[in-house]
Amino acid sequence: MVALPVDAANLQFWRFDPQQNRLTFTTDTQVQPKAQLIFDPTRLVIDLPDTQVTSSTTRQRLQSGIKEIRVGQLDDQTARIVIELEPGYTLDPQQVQVRGETDRRWFVQLPELTGDDGRRSVSAETPETPETPDAPETNNQVTGNSSTNRSSTQVEGIRATADGFFIRVSGQAPEVELRRSRRRDPERTITLELEDSSIAPGLTVTSLPNNRYSIERWEINQEDSRVFITMQLGDDSPDWRTIVTDVSSNLRGISVLPDGVSIGTIPDTKPNNNSVAVTPDPTPRRPTRPIPRREEEAIRPRGEDASSGQLPRVSQQRIVVAIDPGHGGRDPGAVGIGGLQEKQVIFPISQQVASILRQQGVEVIMTRNRDIELDLAPRVQIAERADADFFVSIHANAINLSRPDVNGLETYYYSDNGARFARTVHNIVLGTMGMPDRRVRQARFYVLRRTSMPAILIEVGFVTGAEDIHNLRDPQWRSDMANAISRGILTHIQRER
């Protein structure tokens, strides 16, 4: 039996690589997969306890031994991945290898498949001629094409050119929205969304480039009146940009060009026909990283200047932190002793936190830079659009004015990743500021539930507390608090990276 986490994990990504006969999947929190072979029809079933399916792709059709891969929700608490074999094929369950690279990224390596008549499937170890000799092996995919869709634009095909790629369309020139994958996503992708468009009836995978210019895979999907064209970028691929061309009916389409580099520097992607050896290991292995210092060693004595104490500095990699000063504008937040407003306290603290983080090499996004009222949803949207790695909402607490005895620091989280973040920041602020400890708590605050990155909400004290009120009014104390919060954030970044 495996102890399940409090919050369900999300199955974020999965993919089956037919070249290596290997399934890869990732979740946002720890899981413990369970695999079994079921017959009539023969299929390998991988169950993920306490996991929800959030991956946009739910089915992948294959050939040569494997009929399809499908993903779904077995019940409210279990996600299921099914690898169904073609009739007449089987595999040795003792040779199925389940391996965890981390507690959130897993591989399922299949052995060579064999048929009842002795035939073998096309795999990484046993390449053989496809059934259609003229059709090159490809991972490309086209789904949802329909000849009955009367849209303004039809996508007819994609070809590689001397400059990049050209997406040929008929009808009107399309409006294109380009979206790039988030930096935390397992794969780099660029998706073009075409409004009022459809897939031409004759468009198939043979109409798409194969392994050109470090693009590993093209996917074209139609949903209602929109067409989505997704490029899966290889390791050597640069960023790409688009230009809509509408010179004539013969040159109507979208040019996809490399951004900032010459096309001659981009190598083609070649299929890897070498098998990848994986060691059977049902227990996930965490990446090796330096053991962090004890939190006591990272705590700076209160009152020390923010420029001293050797604050942790972020490495050369880009780290984005969203700082969210609560309330603002017509919303003062909590109002405490003597009429002190929450927004008057937390905005200067938030500004100083942002300043300190920037000095230490962090890119900071503020949900608001002035005294304005801002709903909760836009705060989350700002962090998501910035592709922030961490989200920190800063508030001041309150209780009934008849309870001035209630004082201290509280820090909230929602997800497991947020819990680790919250504990690090809370402990460092607590030790630095010498405040009463009102603990780290889990809560369903909107900005914590709706953000995809590790997120915390820190309450820096009670505007209704007899002890806290004097501190919250003190500019030097607020500066010390800003420094302590910054130290907590930077320490967590060091430990996680």
Side-chain angles (χ1 to χ4, degrees):
M1 298 294 293
V2 178
L4 300 178
V6 175
D7 296 315
N10 290 314
L11 177 61
Q12 295 180 312
F13 163 82
W14 69 272
R15 181 192 177 201
F16 185 81
D17 184 349
Q19 297 292 331
Q20 300 184 34
N21 241 13
R22 185 170 68 180
L23 172 73
T24 303
F25 62 90
T26 62
T27 58
D28 59 349
T29 58
Q30 180 177 354
V31 298
Q32 184 64 54
K34 300 177 180 179
Q36 58 181 321
L37 191 64
I38 302 177
F39 298 94
D40 296 326
T42 304
R43 59 204 185 275
L44 181 68
V45 173
I46 301 100
D47 286 336
L48 309 180
D50 202 46
T51 302
Q52 301 293 315
V53 176
T54 60
S55 172
S56 58
T57 303
T58 58
R59 193 179 295 262
Q60 180 179 349
R61 294 191 179 277
L62 300 166
Q63 295 178 345
S64 300
I66 297 180
K67 180 179 180 181
E68 69 174 9
I69 316 291
R70 55 184 181 269
V71 175
Q73 202 70 41
L74 177 64
D75 53 43
D76 291 342
Q77 296 183 334
T78 308
R80 169 166 284 187
I81 304 175
V82 178
I83 304 176
E84 183 174 339
L85 305 188
E86 289 279 2
Y89 279 93
T90 187
L91 56 79
D92 182 355
Q94 298 300 319
Q95 296 184 30
V96 176
Q97 300 172 357
V98 181
R99 172 190 166 198
E101 184 181 60
T102 71
D103 56 4
R104 292 177 290 175
R105 181 176 176 86
W106 289 79
F107 300 105
V108 179
Q109 181 69 52
L110 301 185
E112 183 180 53
L113 308 181
T114 57
D116 295 340
D117 57 0
R119 69 188 186 279
R120 295 179 298 175
S121 67
V122 176
S123 69
E125 296 180 355
T126 59
E128 66 183 40
T129 304
E131 293 181 5
T132 306
D134 295 333
E137 294 185 13
T138 178
N139 288 328
N140 296 334
Q141 180 176 331
V142 178
T143 58
N145 51 323
S146 172
S147 59
T148 62
N149 191 310
R150 296 185 177 180
S151 56
S152 300
T153 304
Q154 283 199 327
V155 179
E156 297 187 333
I158 305 174
R159 60 183 175 88
T161 69
D163 301 317
F165 300 100
F166 185 73
I167 303 172
R168 175 74 178 274
V169 304
S170 60
Q172 296 182 4
E175 293 186 6
V176 181
E177 180 180 346
L178 185 147
R179 293 194 300 271
R180 294 173 174 84
S181 58
R182 302 168 62 86
R183 289 176 294 110
R184 297 187 299 278
D185 289 349
E187 293 185 342
R188 292 175 60 208
T189 60
I190 291 179
T191 299
L192 283 60
E193 179 179 342
L194 283 59
E195 293 287 346
D196 193 17
S197 299
S198 61
I199 298 175
L203 193 154
T204 66
V205 292
T206 59
S207 308
L208 308 179
N210 199 33
N211 303 315
R212 291 303 308 275
Y213 301 140
S214 291
I215 303 301
E216 295 182 345
R217 176 182 173 92
W218 290 85
E219 291 185 10
I220 303 183
N221 302 296
Q222 183 174 335
E223 296 181 9
D224 299 325
S225 61
R226 295 176 297 173
V227 171
F228 298 87
I229 302 174
T230 300
M231 308 161 58
Q232 181 179 312
L233 279 57
D235 293 338
D236 298 319
S237 176
D239 195 10
W240 297 80
R241 57 189 176 90
T242 60
I243 299 176
V244 177
T245 304
D246 192 18
V247 177
S248 67
S249 59
N250 293 327
L251 289 175
R252 185 167 295 147
I254 307 164
S255 295
V256 184
L257 308 174
D259 192 6
V261 301
S262 169
I263 193 70
T265 64
I266 307 173
D268 286 343
T269 299
K270 297 181 179 179
N272 179 12
N273 290 325
N274 297 321
S275 61
V276 177
V278 290
T279 304
D281 184 5
T283 304
R285 300 182 300 182
R286 296 180 180 274
T288 303
R289 66 182 184 194
I291 298 176
R293 297 178 302 166
R294 296 173 57 204
E295 285 179 349
E296 296 90 310
E297 298 173 354
I299 293 175
R300 176 183 60 86
R302 183 185 167 192
E304 186 172 335
D305 184 77
S307 63
S308 63
Q310 294 185 351
L311 282 164
R313 184 168 180 85
V314 174
S315 64
Q316 296 298 320
Q317 65 186 109
R318 178 174 179 256
I319 301 295
V320 181
V321 176
I323 300 296
D324 174 43
H327 308 284
R330 294 178 299 175
D331 174 16
V335 179
I337 298 172
L340 181 65
Q341 297 179 353
E342 179 180 358
K343 70 173 187 177
Q344 296 171 334
V345 173
I346 56 93
F347 189 61
I349 292 176
S350 301
Q351 287 181 310
Q352 291 181 56
V353 169
S355 176
I356 294 170
L357 292 180
R358 287 171 179 142
Q359 292 172 15
Q360 300 306 117
V362 174
E363 183 176 333
V364 177
I365 301 297
M366 297 282 287
T367 59
R368 65 179 181 92
N369 285 298
R370 52 196 176 94
D371 186 21
I372 59 172
E373 185 177 9
L374 191 64
D375 289 338
L376 298 177
R379 298 172 189 265
V380 171
Q381 292 166 5
I382 289 170
E384 294 292 338
R385 283 197 300 266
D387 195 10
D389 296 287
F390 302 96
F391 180 92
V392 181
S393 189
I394 301 177
H395 289 254
N397 222 332
I399 199 170
N400 195 292
L401 286 170
S402 63
R403 294 294 308 276
D405 56 306
V406 178
N407 301 267
L409 179 76
E410 291 179 354
T411 306
Y412 293 91
Y413 68 94
Y414 177 70
S415 68
D416 286 348
N417 289 337
R420 295 193 297 271
F421 188 20
R423 282 192 289 269
T424 299
V425 175
H426 183 89
N427 291 340
I428 289 178
V429 172
L430 193 69
T432 303
M433 303 303 291
M435 302 174 65
D437 182 6
R438 290 186 55 84
R439 304 195 312 276
V440 175
R441 307 164 185 259
Q442 187 177 33
R444 293 180 55 83
F445 295 138
Y446 184 95
V447 295
L448 301 183
R449 287 187 292 113
R450 296 301 184 95
T451 42
S452 61
M453 67 288 301
I456 64 173
L457 186 150
I458 184 167
E459 302 271 10
V460 298
F462 283 76
V463 293
T464 53
E467 296 179 19
D468 287 345
I469 191 66
H470 298 293
N471 293 329
L472 295 171
R473 286 181 176 142
D474 181 2
Q476 180 58 54
W477 185 92
R478 292 198 295 260
S479 294
D480 292 342
M481 173 60 74
N483 191 82
I485 294 173
S486 302
R487 180 177 293 276
I489 295 170
L490 293 165
T491 299
H492 183 75
I493 291 173
Q494 275 196 335
R495 292 176 178 179
E496 292 297 305
R497 300 289 164 166

